[in-house]
Amino acid sequence: MLRLRGLLIQHHFLSNCSARTASSVACREYDVIVVGGGHAGTEAAAAATRIGAETLLITQKIETIGALSCNPSLGGVGKGQLVKEVDALDGLMGRAGDYAGVHFSILNRRKGPAVWGPRAQLDRGRYKEFIQLELLNMPRLTVIEGSVEGLLVSTADPEQPGKHTVTGVRLADGGNEILSSSVILTTGTFLSGSLFMGKTTSPGGRMGEPPSCSGLTHSLREILGLKLGRLKTGTPPRIVKETVDFSLAHLHLPDLRPTPFSFINTHTHCKPEEQIPCHLTYTTPGVDRVVRESLHMNSHIQQDTKGPRYCPSIESRVLRFPGRQHQVWLEPEGLNSDLLYPQGLSMTMPLEMQLRLIREIPALQRADIHTPGYGVQYDFVCPTQLFPWLQLKSIQGLFLAGQINGTTGYEEAAAQGLWAGINAGRTALSMPPLSLSRTESYIGVLIDDLVGHGVTEPYRMFTSRAEFRTSLRPDNADLRLTPKGFEEIGCVSSPRYLEAVRVRQGLSEALSALKSITMSPSRWKEKLRDACISETKSTLISGEEMLQYKDVSFDMVASAFPEILSPYLEFSERIKIEAVYRPHCEKQQREMERMREEESLSLCPDIDYFSLPVSLSDEVREILDRVRPSTLGAAMRLQGVTPAAIVHLLNYVTRTGRRSRAQRDADRQTKTPDCKHRPQTDQQAESNQNQEAGIVVQN
Amino acid sequence: MMFACCRRNTFLITHKRLRLGFRCASSASSTAEPADTIFALSSGQGRCGVAVVRVTGPAAGGALRRVAGLSCGLPAPRTALLRSIVHPQSKEVLDRGLVLWFPGPHSFTGEDIAEFHIHGGPAVISGVLQALGSLPGLRPAEAGEFTRRAFHAGKLDLTEVEGLGDLIHAETQAQRRQALRQMAGDLGHLYNGWSEQLKRCLAHVEAFIDFSEGDLIEDGVLNQVDIAVPQLQMEIEKHLCDERRGERLRSGVQVVIAGSTNAGKSSLFNILCQRPAAIVSPIAGTTRDIVETSLDIGGFPVLLSDTAGLRDTGDCVEREGVRRARQMVGLADLTLVLVDSMQLPQEPQMVSGFLSEYLKNVLPSAKDHEQGYVLILNKSDLLPKEHISMIQNVLTQTSDMAPVSILSCHSREGLDDFLTLLQDRLKTLCGDPLAGSPSLTQTRHRAHLQKCVDALNQYYEYRDTDLALAAEGLRLGLSSLGRITGKGS
């Protein structure tokens, strides 16, 4: 192993000059290299360029950039929040969804705005078109076709064995090397990927596409010594639309008024009346029978490898809940597509059995299969080896995002890609890496779960994973993240930032105006005849409190006080949600505050916990050494770390923190001040003044 | 409390910086709610005339005015005032005592502090704690919370900060044992049962929120919750109204005598309570159940227990006795580990190895000094004098074995030294106000139960309009229960 590493490093130095002439890209050095053009890779590349980094995206086929490999849909419960957050940080996914959506609906509509799940069926072609158009015209971004054979790494410091620094990648054909101090791997299911159908297995990451070069797996496992695991997933057969009898399925209509994902879109590309429906049908006992009869011909399902529990194959569903009817959604693949995607029928049995199975469903009894379903097994890198900024702890400059970290789903991949892109860009431009807190975003929850606990099965986002769910709503993702994205992170464009500031100001003014309206219950009753208000309360009720009544809308209150409230009608729905949730969010505020405080105290990644001169039990030292939490907050959430241990750590952190702060102050004096954000801050100050002025007028 | 006297006007400059650090970290949101107001008994127990109850936080002033009947305003800062202490709801006079007012930031925690110096009887103390607990916005302090606040306010100097971890560790352990004692019986079953039920309800609601749009969950899960939550709420409310409050709680330091059979545990027990309370015989395994008595040793209240000798046995009654003995040891503040000197190895060099093995058997969790113990070598009269002094020499060289008492319950030799040692240990243990204060634990439990009941109301309030907020109610309720049972947070 040692010898191999030596060879690789040597090779890198030798080929440095020859690489310059090999091809146009190889002669360059990039700030950031992104490997993979899926949801993680595209967001990563876009985010890195937004940060200001010269970025190279390497993909096997430019044509498949932005491809939806599995379901033609975006968002849902929990996942919708991620889409909104990626959009709030100026990512691509939300806008691409608005462009490509052909059927919009908000799931969980009756369960409260905190758990609403914005979702859309997509036109595959349009989605790809949007993503490719964005990426291929992006300044500072170069896209090339190629396959990465290995990583170029050097040992950073002989004092620290096992620690490396990434210096670039080597391409497969011709062995061209491209240099970069930050590399993001987003290889999805392509890392040692193998495809399964029936009893046949073939190497590949997606039907018709070869897996990543074995050299990459070799680099990760053997040379860098990373811990890898294996997971599986699958996709259903695609069905020829005109062979389906829709009269035997239930019609499912989209929302009358489609709600865009993106905060900067007021409407979707698809007109409301152009939306197309979905259909719902159910499995029959015949489906159960085919599954059981084909089990011996189905090597994917017999494997022990863990698959996605919450998006299971029809085989797993039948085996887990025998004798039950299972939902099958017949989803359009696009406006003009001749194909249907049968969600719920992911399967890996031989083709002839797949055909038998779908024909057991009445609506599909004469249906034809266009492309068969298949399973994929792939390697993932145990994500506990990552920092919260998605860089590997042991390899400076190497970032991972998406399914390679053990997650499932487009949205989870995009969220990680965005965050890895931001941090790879920042690292390349000598800015400190950043992490998002559980208290401010689902992205923070996702990454904290991954790096803190690892995965045992493909990780999917749920709303129940977020302890501050009532504060982290889909409606307020822009307020939570866009200002931060502009002011602190640098990944948000100025127009988007100004829009978020305008919205924030409008909401705040509207709520102050509502608070300033106070009346007795009987007066309110006169004003709002339709609302049922209990008159038993003797105290005055403010407009804000009125909105906490279920059937009182902002429009109703605004029509009673048009002179004060009509300027804010565009925020109607958001004001109502804010008013209902504010008291609950304020209760959470202190808890969030505490967590943020703990997370602001970072633990240096190189601490030698076994020799730390503080009083810790051996057990606690072992846990801390194994997990290497990056903040005190993360340490507190580890099982087995006692309150006393935390106090000792806190003590240690605050002492060393003081020292490093002093160090930073000294460093800062030697550098020229970074004035990039200066004008923007002034702008913000101005808008704050405006805001205050607005409130004065209201009062 | 050990930091009671450290209200200083001058702080080390480093701590000013430290405080700044914390402020900066939390200044991100300007709408932070004020901190909770907490209270605790901050004097030790034992035969002390005066007990001190402290309240810290923004509502401390209000609490002082209501409990001390100060309608026209707060007393002058740092000046003692003699007042009647009154229960704010029942208006019953609980005691007459001194009250003091320390407005922040010139106080131990940097916040407003009110102090009540009252008579030291358990009834008075528990009355005042309950009175404070009944005020809105006040809750009993969690382990180490006072000192933690002082730390965050930058009011501890460097050596005190070093000791803070150990102090919090001790307090956490003491509080855990105290809670375990109360939870050991039916009460524990009750709380754990509620906690389990609520967890199931929450799991159902969460599953409904995250999965009901697919078909991965059973039908009718919410109906089950709609039935279970009101039932649970009614049970907890009924429990809160029940004035019997379950079992009688006795205060005192819990001291347990443990060791192998025939080491002389019951003899030591009888000597300590100065009456033949436990049956003593030369037959191994005489004591099979816990024998318990309340004692006063050197002015400190002690709950002393004699236990069955620890050995593997086929006798099912004795086996139960051994199980109980082990449980008692787990709950004890102090364990007197008794060794039969005749069982010691002949070679004095081997003694310390033997004893550490023995300790490991009696106190399986003692390795990180979670529990105090005193090692006692009994039956010293049966060994030759020079052998004893050799053993003593060996043991003083192996420091981690200290303290060891060598005595004879038969000849009473070495007993005085042992009693001095025991009193020292009791003094330390009693200095910890949390070690034996069941009323505080009880007040804390009641506060959490009440919070749980209130949180469950939120479930009904939003059940039909906003399931996310309804679920939030269950989450809050579960976390309140979790604070009692120590599971989850």
mmCIF file of all heavy atoms in Angstrom, chain A residues 108 111 317 324 327 462-464 466-467 469 550 581 584 586 588 593 650, chain B residues 18 26 33 151 161 206 209-210 212-213 215 462 465-468 472 475:
data_model
loop_
_atom_site.group_PDB
_atom_site.id
_atom_site.type_symbol
_atom_site.label_atom_id
_atom_site.label_comp_id
_atom_site.label_asym_id
_atom_site.label_seq_id
_atom_site.Cartn_x
_atom_site.Cartn_y
_atom_site.Cartn_z
ATOM 1 N N ASN A 108 -49.445 17.025 2.377
ATOM 2 C CA ASN A 108 -49.680 17.351 3.790
ATOM 3 C C ASN A 108 -50.402 18.692 3.967
ATOM 4 O O ASN A 108 -50.249 19.326 4.997
ATOM 5 C CB ASN A 108 -48.355 17.422 4.558
ATOM 6 C CG ASN A 108 -47.980 16.082 5.164
ATOM 7 O OD1 ASN A 108 -48.784 15.152 5.137
ATOM 8 N ND2 ASN A 108 -46.793 15.984 5.727
ATOM 9 N N LYS A 111 -52.033 19.331 7.243
ATOM 10 C CA LYS A 111 -51.322 19.006 8.490
ATOM 11 C C LYS A 111 -50.488 20.149 9.042
ATOM 12 O O LYS A 111 -49.695 19.949 9.954
ATOM 13 C CB LYS A 111 -50.432 17.784 8.272
ATOM 14 C CG LYS A 111 -51.250 16.533 8.066
ATOM 15 C CD LYS A 111 -50.389 15.347 7.764
ATOM 16 C CE LYS A 111 -51.198 14.304 7.028
ATOM 17 N NZ LYS A 111 -50.350 13.512 6.146
ATOM 18 N N ARG A 317 -41.787 -4.787 -0.402
ATOM 19 C CA ARG A 317 -43.097 -4.432 0.150
ATOM 20 C C ARG A 317 -43.954 -5.674 0.322
ATOM 21 O O ARG A 317 -44.611 -5.859 1.348
ATOM 22 C CB ARG A 317 -43.805 -3.437 -0.767
ATOM 23 C CG ARG A 317 -43.157 -2.082 -0.792
ATOM 24 C CD ARG A 317 -43.666 -1.287 -1.960
ATOM 25 N NE ARG A 317 -44.701 -0.325 -1.571
ATOM 26 C CZ ARG A 317 -45.448 0.334 -2.451
ATOM 27 N NH1 ARG A 317 -45.310 0.113 -3.734
ATOM 28 N NH2 ARG A 317 -46.340 1.201 -2.037
ATOM 29 N N ARG A 324 -51.300 -7.405 1.414
ATOM 30 C CA ARG A 324 -51.873 -6.060 1.433
ATOM 31 C C ARG A 324 -51.912 -5.465 0.037
ATOM 32 O O ARG A 324 -51.106 -5.821 -0.814
ATOM 33 C CB ARG A 324 -51.041 -5.160 2.353
ATOM 34 C CG ARG A 324 -51.811 -4.795 3.601
ATOM 35 C CD ARG A 324 -50.982 -4.060 4.594
ATOM 36 N NE ARG A 324 -50.565 -2.728 4.175
ATOM 37 C CZ ARG A 324 -49.966 -1.868 5.004
ATOM 38 N NH1 ARG A 324 -49.739 -2.223 6.242
ATOM 39 N NH2 ARG A 324 -49.596 -0.689 4.598
ATOM 40 N N GLN A 327 -50.053 0.838 -2.979
ATOM 41 C CA GLN A 327 -50.312 1.910 -3.942
ATOM 42 C C GLN A 327 -49.334 1.850 -5.112
ATOM 43 O O GLN A 327 -48.146 1.579 -4.917
ATOM 44 C CB GLN A 327 -50.121 3.274 -3.277
ATOM 45 C CG GLN A 327 -51.220 3.668 -2.319
ATOM 46 C CD GLN A 327 -50.985 5.064 -1.764
ATOM 47 O OE1 GLN A 327 -49.941 5.663 -1.953
ATOM 48 N NE2 GLN A 327 -51.982 5.580 -1.067
ATOM 49 N N PHE A 462 -36.763 13.312 6.621
ATOM 50 C CA PHE A 462 -38.146 13.387 7.109
ATOM 51 C C PHE A 462 -38.265 14.656 7.917
ATOM 52 O O PHE A 462 -37.276 15.128 8.467
ATOM 53 C CB PHE A 462 -38.465 12.237 8.066
ATOM 54 C CG PHE A 462 -38.217 10.898 7.499
ATOM 55 C CD1 PHE A 462 -37.301 10.055 8.080
ATOM 56 C CD2 PHE A 462 -38.900 10.487 6.381
ATOM 57 C CE1 PHE A 462 -37.065 8.816 7.551
ATOM 58 C CE2 PHE A 462 -38.668 9.251 5.855
ATOM 59 C CZ PHE A 462 -37.750 8.403 6.440
ATOM 60 N N THR A 463 -39.482 15.121 8.082
ATOM 61 C CA THR A 463 -39.641 16.316 8.931
ATOM 62 C C THR A 463 -39.358 15.965 10.385
ATOM 63 O O THR A 463 -38.916 16.803 11.152
ATOM 64 C CB THR A 463 -41.052 16.903 8.835
ATOM 65 O OG1 THR A 463 -41.967 15.994 9.426
ATOM 66 C CG2 THR A 463 -41.441 17.171 7.398
ATOM 67 N N SER A 464 -39.597 14.703 10.768
ATOM 68 C CA SER A 464 -39.413 14.349 12.177
ATOM 69 C C SER A 464 -37.940 14.320 12.578
ATOM 70 O O SER A 464 -37.626 14.237 13.759
ATOM 71 C CB SER A 464 -40.061 13.005 12.487
ATOM 72 O OG SER A 464 -39.645 12.034 11.571
ATOM 73 N N ALA A 466 -36.025 16.814 12.243
ATOM 74 C CA ALA A 466 -35.661 18.170 12.655
ATOM 75 C C ALA A 466 -36.329 18.485 13.989
ATOM 76 O O ALA A 466 -37.548 18.509 14.073
ATOM 77 C CB ALA A 466 -36.108 19.175 11.601
ATOM 78 N N GLU A 467 -35.531 18.698 15.032
ATOM 79 C CA GLU A 467 -36.140 18.971 16.330
ATOM 80 C C GLU A 467 -36.785 20.347 16.381
ATOM 81 O O GLU A 467 -37.678 20.583 17.162
ATOM 82 C CB GLU A 467 -35.149 18.781 17.484
ATOM 83 C CG GLU A 467 -33.828 19.515 17.370
ATOM 84 C CD GLU A 467 -32.795 18.704 16.623
ATOM 85 O OE1 GLU A 467 -32.957 18.571 15.394
ATOM 86 O OE2 GLU A 467 -31.837 18.215 17.221
ATOM 87 N N ARG A 469 -38.621 21.693 13.992
ATOM 88 C CA ARG A 469 -39.433 21.639 12.792
ATOM 89 C C ARG A 469 -40.367 22.840 12.643
ATOM 90 O O ARG A 469 -40.564 23.334 11.543
ATOM 91 C CB ARG A 469 -40.253 20.346 12.835
ATOM 92 C CG ARG A 469 -41.171 20.141 11.671
ATOM 93 C CD ARG A 469 -41.728 18.742 11.695
ATOM 94 N NE ARG A 469 -42.503 18.472 12.893
ATOM 95 C CZ ARG A 469 -42.895 17.260 13.247
ATOM 96 N NH1 ARG A 469 -42.588 16.225 12.506
ATOM 97 N NH2 ARG A 469 -43.599 17.072 14.341
ATOM 98 N N LYS A 550 -58.321 29.920 13.534
ATOM 99 C CA LYS A 550 -58.197 29.051 12.371
ATOM 100 C C LYS A 550 -58.796 29.693 11.114
ATOM 101 O O LYS A 550 -58.174 29.702 10.049
ATOM 102 C CB LYS A 550 -58.907 27.733 12.679
ATOM 103 C CG LYS A 550 -58.805 26.728 11.569
ATOM 104 C CD LYS A 550 -59.719 25.544 11.861
ATOM 105 C CE LYS A 550 -59.872 24.676 10.617
ATOM 106 N NZ LYS A 550 -60.996 23.739 10.748
ATOM 107 N N TYR A 581 -47.394 30.735 14.016
ATOM 108 C CA TYR A 581 -46.232 30.013 14.535
ATOM 109 C C TYR A 581 -45.359 30.815 15.492
ATOM 110 O O TYR A 581 -44.596 30.244 16.252
ATOM 111 C CB TYR A 581 -45.370 29.509 13.368
ATOM 112 C CG TYR A 581 -45.832 28.174 12.840
ATOM 113 C CD1 TYR A 581 -46.873 28.083 11.934
ATOM 114 C CD2 TYR A 581 -45.243 27.007 13.290
ATOM 115 C CE1 TYR A 581 -47.311 26.862 11.468
ATOM 116 C CE2 TYR A 581 -45.671 25.783 12.829
ATOM 117 C CZ TYR A 581 -46.710 25.710 11.909
ATOM 118 O OH TYR A 581 -47.130 24.494 11.461
ATOM 119 N N HIS A 584 -44.938 29.822 19.169
ATOM 120 C CA HIS A 584 -44.280 28.527 19.362
ATOM 121 C C HIS A 584 -42.785 28.610 19.055
ATOM 122 O O HIS A 584 -41.974 27.994 19.725
ATOM 123 C CB HIS A 584 -44.953 27.477 18.488
ATOM 124 C CG HIS A 584 -46.411 27.354 18.766
ATOM 125 N ND1 HIS A 584 -46.889 26.649 19.843
ATOM 126 C CD2 HIS A 584 -47.483 27.914 18.164
ATOM 127 C CE1 HIS A 584 -48.205 26.751 19.879
ATOM 128 N NE2 HIS A 584 -48.592 27.515 18.867
ATOM 129 N N GLU A 586 -40.973 31.213 19.402
ATOM 130 C CA GLU A 586 -40.292 31.942 20.462
ATOM 131 C C GLU A 586 -39.968 31.027 21.630
ATOM 132 O O GLU A 586 -38.937 31.172 22.268
ATOM 133 C CB GLU A 586 -41.148 33.127 20.924
ATOM 134 C CG GLU A 586 -40.956 34.317 20.009
ATOM 135 C CD GLU A 586 -41.847 35.484 20.355
ATOM 136 O OE1 GLU A 586 -42.582 35.406 21.365
ATOM 137 O OE2 GLU A 586 -41.803 36.468 19.602
ATOM 138 N N GLN A 588 -39.150 27.983 21.332
ATOM 139 C CA GLN A 588 -37.995 27.186 20.926
ATOM 140 C C GLN A 588 -36.713 28.007 20.906
ATOM 141 O O GLN A 588 -35.623 27.457 20.910
ATOM 142 C CB GLN A 588 -38.212 26.632 19.516
ATOM 143 C CG GLN A 588 -39.205 25.516 19.467
ATOM 144 C CD GLN A 588 -39.256 24.878 18.096
ATOM 145 O OE1 GLN A 588 -38.825 25.462 17.108
ATOM 146 N NE2 GLN A 588 -39.782 23.680 18.035
ATOM 147 N N GLU A 593 -30.960 28.757 20.811
ATOM 148 C CA GLU A 593 -29.875 29.635 21.226
ATOM 149 C C GLU A 593 -28.774 28.824 21.912
ATOM 150 O O GLU A 593 -27.596 28.954 21.624
ATOM 151 C CB GLU A 593 -30.482 30.619 22.242
ATOM 152 C CG GLU A 593 -29.762 31.883 22.413
ATOM 153 C CD GLU A 593 -29.954 32.793 21.217
ATOM 154 O OE1 GLU A 593 -30.872 32.615 20.381
ATOM 155 O OE2 GLU A 593 -29.148 33.687 21.136
ATOM 156 N N LEU A 650 -15.738 22.036 27.628
ATOM 157 C CA LEU A 650 -16.084 23.449 27.495
ATOM 158 C C LEU A 650 -14.951 24.306 28.036
ATOM 159 O O LEU A 650 -14.500 25.270 27.421
ATOM 160 C CB LEU A 650 -17.380 23.737 28.265
ATOM 161 C CG LEU A 650 -17.821 25.186 28.367
ATOM 162 C CD1 LEU A 650 -18.227 25.703 27.005
ATOM 163 C CD2 LEU A 650 -18.977 25.331 29.333
ATOM 164 N N LEU B 18 -13.963 35.824 28.470
ATOM 165 C CA LEU B 18 -14.729 34.603 28.339
ATOM 166 C C LEU B 18 -16.206 34.933 28.205
ATOM 167 O O LEU B 18 -16.916 34.446 27.348
ATOM 168 C CB LEU B 18 -14.507 33.763 29.578
ATOM 169 C CG LEU B 18 -15.028 32.343 29.520
ATOM 170 C CD1 LEU B 18 -14.021 31.512 28.762
ATOM 171 C CD2 LEU B 18 -15.219 31.797 30.901
ATOM 172 N N SER B 26 -24.164 34.308 21.231
ATOM 173 C CA SER B 26 -25.610 34.227 21.327
ATOM 174 C C SER B 26 -26.297 35.496 20.834
ATOM 175 O O SER B 26 -27.490 35.635 20.957
ATOM 176 C CB SER B 26 -26.013 33.944 22.770
ATOM 177 O OG SER B 26 -25.527 34.972 23.578
ATOM 178 N N GLU B 33 -35.500 34.879 24.678
ATOM 179 C CA GLU B 33 -36.288 35.024 25.887
ATOM 180 C C GLU B 33 -35.362 35.088 27.088
ATOM 181 O O GLU B 33 -34.259 34.556 27.050
ATOM 182 C CB GLU B 33 -37.174 33.788 26.041
ATOM 183 C CG GLU B 33 -38.553 33.967 25.483
ATOM 184 C CD GLU B 33 -39.371 32.729 25.758
ATOM 185 O OE1 GLU B 33 -39.728 32.511 26.928
ATOM 186 O OE2 GLU B 33 -39.628 31.985 24.814
ATOM 187 N N PHE B 151 -20.630 30.344 36.129
ATOM 188 C CA PHE B 151 -19.529 30.142 35.182
ATOM 189 C C PHE B 151 -19.754 30.967 33.914
ATOM 190 O O PHE B 151 -18.888 31.697 33.450
ATOM 191 C CB PHE B 151 -19.426 28.657 34.860
ATOM 192 C CG PHE B 151 -18.464 28.327 33.762
ATOM 193 C CD1 PHE B 151 -17.116 28.618 33.902
ATOM 194 C CD2 PHE B 151 -18.900 27.726 32.599
ATOM 195 C CE1 PHE B 151 -16.222 28.307 32.892
ATOM 196 C CE2 PHE B 151 -18.020 27.419 31.590
ATOM 197 C CZ PHE B 151 -16.681 27.716 31.738
ATOM 198 N N VAL B 161 -13.177 27.169 38.305
ATOM 199 C CA VAL B 161 -13.613 26.608 37.034
ATOM 200 C C VAL B 161 -13.053 25.199 36.865
ATOM 201 O O VAL B 161 -13.740 24.293 36.413
ATOM 202 C CB VAL B 161 -13.173 27.511 35.865
ATOM 203 C CG1 VAL B 161 -13.490 26.845 34.537
ATOM 204 C CG2 VAL B 161 -13.881 28.837 35.933
ATOM 205 N N GLU B 206 -45.787 11.241 14.251
ATOM 206 C CA GLU B 206 -44.680 11.533 13.339
ATOM 207 C C GLU B 206 -44.797 10.690 12.067
ATOM 208 O O GLU B 206 -44.576 11.179 10.965
ATOM 209 C CB GLU B 206 -43.331 11.260 14.013
ATOM 210 C CG GLU B 206 -43.024 12.134 15.214
ATOM 211 C CD GLU B 206 -42.721 13.587 14.855
ATOM 212 O OE1 GLU B 206 -42.868 13.947 13.673
ATOM 213 O OE2 GLU B 206 -42.368 14.361 15.758
ATOM 214 N N ILE B 209 -47.409 12.137 9.882
ATOM 215 C CA ILE B 209 -46.963 13.352 9.180
ATOM 216 C C ILE B 209 -46.045 12.994 8.017
ATOM 217 O O ILE B 209 -46.210 13.486 6.906
ATOM 218 C CB ILE B 209 -46.218 14.289 10.160
ATOM 219 C CG1 ILE B 209 -47.202 14.919 11.137
ATOM 220 C CG2 ILE B 209 -45.476 15.378 9.384
ATOM 221 C CD1 ILE B 209 -46.554 15.753 12.208
ATOM 222 N N ASP B 210 -45.099 12.105 8.258
ATOM 223 C CA ASP B 210 -44.080 11.857 7.237
ATOM 224 C C ASP B 210 -44.504 10.838 6.183
ATOM 225 O O ASP B 210 -43.968 10.832 5.088
ATOM 226 C CB ASP B 210 -42.761 11.408 7.887
ATOM 227 C CG ASP B 210 -41.939 12.605 8.364
ATOM 228 O OD1 ASP B 210 -42.045 13.660 7.735
ATOM 229 O OD2 ASP B 210 -41.208 12.470 9.366
ATOM 230 N N SER B 212 -48.069 9.508 5.647
ATOM 231 C CA SER B 212 -49.462 9.191 5.334
ATOM 232 C C SER B 212 -49.781 9.424 3.868
ATOM 233 O O SER B 212 -50.776 8.937 3.366
ATOM 234 C CB SER B 212 -50.404 10.000 6.215
ATOM 235 O OG SER B 212 -50.222 11.365 5.960
ATOM 236 N N GLU B 213 -48.923 10.162 3.150
ATOM 237 C CA GLU B 213 -49.205 10.387 1.735
ATOM 238 C C GLU B 213 -48.840 9.150 0.915
ATOM 239 O O GLU B 213 -49.314 8.978 -0.188
ATOM 240 C CB GLU B 213 -48.443 11.608 1.226
ATOM 241 C CG GLU B 213 -48.731 12.890 1.992
ATOM 242 C CD GLU B 213 -49.985 13.610 1.512
ATOM 243 O OE1 GLU B 213 -50.428 13.346 0.390
ATOM 244 O OE2 GLU B 213 -50.509 14.443 2.276
ATOM 245 N N ASP B 215 -48.218 4.728 1.421
ATOM 246 C CA ASP B 215 -49.051 3.746 2.116
ATOM 247 C C ASP B 215 -48.190 2.889 3.020
ATOM 248 O O ASP B 215 -48.397 1.714 3.183
ATOM 249 C CB ASP B 215 -49.816 2.870 1.116
ATOM 250 C CG ASP B 215 -48.884 2.101 0.194
ATOM 251 O OD1 ASP B 215 -47.680 2.443 0.166
ATOM 252 O OD2 ASP B 215 -49.343 1.176 -0.470
ATOM 253 N N TYR B 462 -54.404 21.849 18.669
ATOM 254 C CA TYR B 462 -54.050 21.905 17.249
ATOM 255 C C TYR B 462 -54.338 20.615 16.495
ATOM 256 O O TYR B 462 -54.001 20.500 15.336
ATOM 257 C CB TYR B 462 -52.570 22.267 17.103
ATOM 258 C CG TYR B 462 -52.259 23.678 17.521
ATOM 259 C CD1 TYR B 462 -51.651 23.956 18.735
ATOM 260 C CD2 TYR B 462 -52.612 24.741 16.697
ATOM 261 C CE1 TYR B 462 -51.375 25.261 19.121
ATOM 262 C CE2 TYR B 462 -52.350 26.051 17.075
ATOM 263 C CZ TYR B 462 -51.729 26.295 18.279
ATOM 264 O OH TYR B 462 -51.467 27.586 18.651
ATOM 265 N N THR B 465 -56.199 21.370 13.297
ATOM 266 C CA THR B 465 -55.808 22.459 12.416
ATOM 267 C C THR B 465 -54.354 22.367 11.981
ATOM 268 O O THR B 465 -54.019 22.741 10.866
ATOM 269 C CB THR B 465 -56.015 23.823 13.097
ATOM 270 O OG1 THR B 465 -55.297 23.818 14.334
ATOM 271 C CG2 THR B 465 -57.466 24.088 13.352
ATOM 272 N N ASP B 466 -53.486 21.910 12.847
ATOM 273 C CA ASP B 466 -52.066 21.921 12.510
ATOM 274 C C ASP B 466 -51.360 20.791 13.236
ATOM 275 O O ASP B 466 -50.999 20.911 14.409
ATOM 276 C CB ASP B 466 -51.456 23.283 12.902
ATOM 277 C CG ASP B 466 -50.063 23.452 12.327
ATOM 278 O OD1 ASP B 466 -49.277 22.485 12.368
ATOM 279 O OD2 ASP B 466 -49.751 24.557 11.854
ATOM 280 N N LEU B 467 -51.165 19.706 12.546
ATOM 281 C CA LEU B 467 -50.607 18.520 13.178
ATOM 282 C C LEU B 467 -49.152 18.716 13.600
ATOM 283 O O LEU B 467 -48.679 18.090 14.546
ATOM 284 C CB LEU B 467 -50.721 17.333 12.219
ATOM 285 C CG LEU B 467 -50.933 15.987 12.894
ATOM 286 C CD1 LEU B 467 -52.095 16.012 13.851
ATOM 287 C CD2 LEU B 467 -51.129 14.908 11.853
ATOM 288 N N ALA B 468 -48.466 19.606 12.911
ATOM 289 C CA ALA B 468 -47.072 19.867 13.292
ATOM 290 C C ALA B 468 -47.025 20.481 14.685
ATOM 291 O O ALA B 468 -46.193 20.104 15.517
ATOM 292 C CB ALA B 468 -46.413 20.791 12.280
ATOM 293 N N GLU B 472 -45.741 18.906 18.224
ATOM 294 C CA GLU B 472 -44.818 19.673 19.052
ATOM 295 C C GLU B 472 -45.220 19.558 20.528
ATOM 296 O O GLU B 472 -44.368 19.436 21.410
ATOM 297 C CB GLU B 472 -44.832 21.134 18.600
ATOM 298 C CG GLU B 472 -43.743 22.010 19.165
ATOM 299 C CD GLU B 472 -42.358 21.574 18.758
ATOM 300 O OE1 GLU B 472 -42.221 20.936 17.692
ATOM 301 O OE2 GLU B 472 -41.422 21.870 19.517
ATOM 302 N N ARG B 475 -44.054 16.297 21.755
ATOM 303 C CA ARG B 475 -42.594 16.323 21.916
ATOM 304 C C ARG B 475 -42.214 16.997 23.226
ATOM 305 O O ARG B 475 -41.377 16.493 23.968
ATOM 306 C CB ARG B 475 -41.934 17.096 20.767
ATOM 307 C CG ARG B 475 -41.849 16.360 19.459
ATOM 308 C CD ARG B 475 -41.166 17.234 18.427
ATOM 309 N NE ARG B 475 -40.965 16.533 17.154
ATOM 310 C CZ ARG B 475 -40.101 16.930 16.222
ATOM 311 N NH1 ARG B 475 -39.375 18.003 16.393
ATOM 312 N NH2 ARG B 475 -39.980 16.258 15.097
#
